[in-house]
Amino acid sequence: MDIYYGILAFIFGTIIGSFLNVCIYRIPKGESILHPPSHCMNCNKKIKAYDMIPVISYIILRGRCRYCGKKIHLRYPVLEFITGLLYVLIYINFGVGIELIKYMVFISIMIVIGMIDFHTTDVYLKTTGTGIIAGIIFLVIYFYIGLPIKTYVYGGVSAGVFIALIILITKGGMGWGDVEIALICGLFLGFKYTMLMLFLAFIIGAVIGLVLILLGKKSRKDYIPFGPFIVIASFITVFLGQSILNWYLF
Ligand SMILES: [Zn+2]
């Protein structure tokens, strides 16, 4: 690992993270993610470029709008920071190449889907559609550079069908948005890792669901979105999938 590339990956990740914040905030409201430019949600003043440096601007401004002093939610710099860290992990795990770009795209889209699902319990076709198209674009690239693509097609189809069957059998618990999220994971992770991801998602979902019920935060009838569990499971799979399978199989 080259430390300079690592730093570059982190900075790039925080910049993308700042854009993901915009997507997470605006897509559920049906607003454009490009227009209008970033502004304070309280006083509506346009935010100057020098106040839009990821993470750093938040610290310099001590978490408040430069003009009206309204508090900026901590989740903005935190998400920028986490995206930066994830990009460094991707670089450490996959080096420089097509996989680096592929997983940066995958993780970014999954962050947006997971965060929106977590906050609103809704999944938007705008985000899942982007994920599915991105997955197909990478398959086309893989095909042209001579890499195998069958596993990704099988992964996408089987994950989507699997969740769809659960919905049809249980008539609830999961939504069609989960089918789309699983399909994206399959297209990006391939068959073997998608199976691992689904397995992890159910375990994480069961454990967290049980903890929430035991703590009295949710009752058994409450709806807990499954999307965020798929997202967490897919991140574990990207970074630890190979180790988990090696450990499990040998
Ligand atoms: Zn303001």
Side-chain angles (χ1 to χ4, degrees):
M1 172 194 156
D2 187 320
I3 188 79
Y4 294 105
Y5 279 159
I7 294 168
L8 213 61
F10 180 77
I11 295 171
F12 183 55
T14 59
I15 295 167
I16 297 295
S18 140
F19 173 66
L20 302 183
N21 271 323
V22 175
C23 297
I24 293 163
Y25 187 77
R26 292 191 186 181
I27 288 172
K29 291 180 163 184
E31 296 174 0
S32 159
I33 52 172
L34 297 173
H35 202 79
S38 292
H39 53 271
C40 171
M41 281 125 197
N42 186 47
C43 67
N44 254 330
K45 268 232 155 108
K46 189 170 167 274
I47 300 168
K48 296 260 165 45
Y50 54 75
D51 282 338
M52 283 202 281
I53 308 161
V55 185
I56 294 173
S57 285
Y58 181 87
I59 296 167
I60 292 174
L61 293 168
R62 293 202 186 99
R64 288 176 185 281
C65 168
R66 180 181 288 277
Y67 309 101
C68 68
K70 173 96 177 164
K71 261 197 166 173
I72 304 163
H73 204 290
L74 189 64
R75 81 173 170 93
Y76 293 101
V78 167
L79 192 98
E80 290 164 354
F81 190 79
I82 289 174
T83 310
L85 281 186
L86 288 170
Y87 273 35
V88 174
L89 282 179
I90 295 169
Y91 165 64
I92 292 172
N93 270 265
F94 301 101
V96 178
I98 182 74
E99 285 189 311
L100 177 80
I101 307 166
K102 184 176 121 166
Y103 287 114
M104 281 177 174
V105 170
F106 174 65
I107 279 194
S108 303
I109 292 171
M110 293 304 274
I111 287 174
V112 174
I113 293 173
M115 289 298 286
I116 293 179
D117 196 5
F118 179 74
H119 285 298
T120 68
T121 73
D122 272 328
V123 174
Y124 292 81
L125 194 60
K126 231 185 206 177
T127 57
T128 50
T130 306
I132 292 165
I133 291 167
I136 293 170
I137 290 172
F138 278 103
L139 286 193
V140 172
I141 296 170
Y142 268 36
F143 180 76
Y144 274 103
I145 56 180
L147 290 170
I149 62 165
K150 259 190 201 163
T151 179
Y152 302 100
V153 178
Y154 291 158
V157 173
S158 54
V161 169
F162 181 69
I163 302 285
L165 283 176
I166 290 179
I167 295 172
L168 294 174
I169 293 166
T170 63
K171 295 187 171 76
M174 271 177 236
W176 294 102
D178 297 321
V179 173
E180 295 158 14
I181 304 173
L183 171 60
I184 300 170
C185 289
L187 289 174
F188 276 92
L189 300 175
F191 183 76
K192 189 171 65 173
Y193 290 112
T194 304
M195 294 301 113
L196 174 66
M197 180 282 292
L198 288 172
F199 176 71
L200 292 173
F202 282 103
I203 290 183
I204 296 167
V207 170
I208 294 182
L210 197 67
V211 169
L212 289 175
I213 290 167
L214 288 177
L215 290 175
K217 302 246 182 224
K218 297 264 177 192
S219 85
R220 289 178 65 175
K221 283 179 185 157
D222 281 332
Y223 178 75
I224 302 171
F226 191 65
F229 301 134
I230 300 183
V231 173
I232 295 167
S234 73
F235 288 8
I236 295 173
T237 304
V238 166
F239 297 117
L240 298 171
Q242 205 168 9
S243 313
I244 295 173
L245 286 183
N246 286 343
W247 169 75
Y248 189 72
L249 295 173
F250 299 106

